């Protein structure tokens, strides 16, 4: 069975500092990996995705993530955060079933708090 | 939000009453999903639909039913609401011909007293 573990429930960081949000997954089959961001009182917005190819994936708002198959990790990074990055971040793993049904399993989320 | 609306956006109801939440999309995506979001649990799948009148259960389907009579609309019904169903509900859409990601609506905050 697939599962996703986000290792930190909260990450406080000062503005302009680098940040890493950690995500580990378990799956016995090929996976597709996603990071979503949720701003207060909003829905989830796709930050970036790994489907295949290069293990370093770049997304919106200056975020990037690295897929590491041997460590079953997909950590999210940003070299310099802004106050506006304060939000909750969700890692998700997907398995595509026959017929096109795309099952997403989410981690519990990491709340990033950027302080001035 | 990729042309996805949810109604109502907020609802307060009492235990034992029926509640219906609506998801409407203008993207003509084949798949539609209902999730609930609770602190510490991320998002959990309630039900999904893979076409008009074609639906299936997710991991937390007890106490919920769904219907999809048109491509653009997916309804979630709580036949008899309980306090444990207080949550934020999100609708999502996807289409295998247009990628593997899901796109999410703005959510409905439901409080069952």
């Amino acid at each position: 069975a697939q599962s996703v573990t986000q290792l930190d429930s909260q990450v406080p960081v000062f503005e302009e500092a680098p940040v890493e949000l950690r995500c580990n997954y378990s799956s016995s089959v090929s996976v597709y990996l996603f990071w979503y961001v949720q701003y207060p009182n909003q829905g989830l917005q796709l930050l970036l995705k790994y489907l295949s190819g290069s293990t370093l994936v770049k997304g919106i708002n200056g975020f990037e993530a690295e897929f590491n198959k041997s460590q079953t990790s997909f950590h999210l990074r940003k070299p310099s955060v802004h106050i506006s990055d304060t939000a909750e971040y969700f890692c998700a793993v997907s398995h595509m079933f026959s017929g096109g049904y795309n099952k997403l399993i989410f981690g519990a989320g990491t709340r990033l708090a950027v302080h001035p | 939000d990729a042309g996805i609306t949810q109604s109502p956006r907020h609802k307060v109801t009492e235990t034992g009453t029926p509640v219906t939440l609506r998801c409407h999309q203008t993207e003509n995506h084949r798949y539609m999903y209902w999730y609930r979001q609770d602190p510490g649990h991320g998002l959990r799948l309630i039900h999904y639909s893979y076409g008009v009148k074609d639906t299936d259960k997710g991991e937390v389907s007890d106490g919920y039913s769904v219907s999809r009579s048109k491509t653009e609309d997916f309804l979630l019904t709580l036949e008899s609401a309980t306090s444990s169903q207080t949550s934020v509900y999100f609708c999502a859409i996807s289409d295998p011909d247009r990628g593997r990601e899901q796109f999410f609506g703005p959510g409905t905050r439901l409080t069952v007293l």
Side-chain angles (χ1 to χ4, degrees):
Chain A
Q2 294 174 311
S3 66
V4 177
T5 302
Q6 292 185 240
L7 296 155
D8 307 291
S9 59
Q10 296 185 64
V11 174
V13 64
F14 287 109
E15 194 173 18
E16 297 183 7
V19 70
E20 178 179 80
L21 306 184
R22 298 179 293 167
C23 173
N24 286 94
Y25 68 92
S26 66
S27 176
S28 58
V29 297
S30 297
V31 295
Y32 308 99
L33 295 156
F34 305 84
W35 276 99
Y36 284 86
V37 60
Q38 184 180 31
Y39 299 104
N41 299 314
Q42 294 187 25
L44 277 71
Q45 179 182 357
L46 182 67
L47 263 183
L48 49 79
K49 59 186 177 184
Y50 172 78
L51 303 181
S52 64
S54 173
T55 57
L56 184 63
V57 180
K58 294 191 183 297
I60 62 171
N61 301 340
F63 284 93
E64 63 182 29
E66 186 162 14
F67 170 61
N68 188 318
K69 187 174 182 179
S70 63
Q71 297 187 11
T72 61
S73 67
F74 190 55
H75 300 334
L76 181 70
R77 302 186 182 102
K78 186 170 182 177
S80 176
V81 295
H82 303 288
I83 295 287
S84 59
D85 293 323
T86 294
E88 188 146 23
Y89 292 79
F90 293 94
C91 181
V93 62
S94 167
H95 177 64
M96 186 74 81
F97 292 84
S98 61
Y101 165 43
N102 178 18
K103 179 180 181 180
L104 269 183
I105 303 295
F106 285 88
T110 297
R111 188 171 299 275
L112 176 65
V114 182
H115 302 284
Chain B
D1 290 324
I4 310 169
T5 57
Q6 293 184 231
S7 58
R9 293 293 313 279
H10 302 272
K11 186 170 183 65
V12 179
T13 191
E14 295 188 349
T15 298
T17 60
V19 176
T20 296
L21 308 183
R22 178 178 184 244
C23 177
H24 178 78
Q25 60 144 331
T26 58
E27 304 296 319
N28 202 33
H29 279 57
R30 192 191 326 170
Y31 285 83
M32 299 185 75
Y33 310 80
W34 276 108
Y35 292 90
R36 60 178 289 172
Q37 182 181 29
D38 304 289
H41 291 278
L43 277 78
R44 293 179 292 175
L45 183 66
I46 305 171
H47 282 281
Y48 69 98
S49 168
Y50 47 97
V52 174
K53 299 192 188 311
D54 294 321
T55 65
D56 205 349
K57 296 179 180 180
E59 60 180 307
V60 289
S61 59
D62 289 347
Y64 302 95
S65 63
V66 291
S67 65
R68 192 171 177 196
S69 59
K70 297 184 290 185
T71 299
E72 56 267 34
D73 290 326
F74 193 32
L75 304 180
L76 177 70
T77 297
L78 291 64
E79 300 290 349
S80 178
T82 67
S83 58
S84 65
Q85 294 175 311
T86 292
S87 187
V88 181
Y89 292 85
F90 287 98
C91 175
I93 63 174
S94 72
D95 195 295
D97 295 331
R98 291 183 247 187
R100 300 183 185 276
E101 57 266 49
Q102 293 183 15
F103 300 97
F104 286 81
T108 294
R109 184 174 295 276
L110 176 67
T111 302
V112 183
L113 302 175

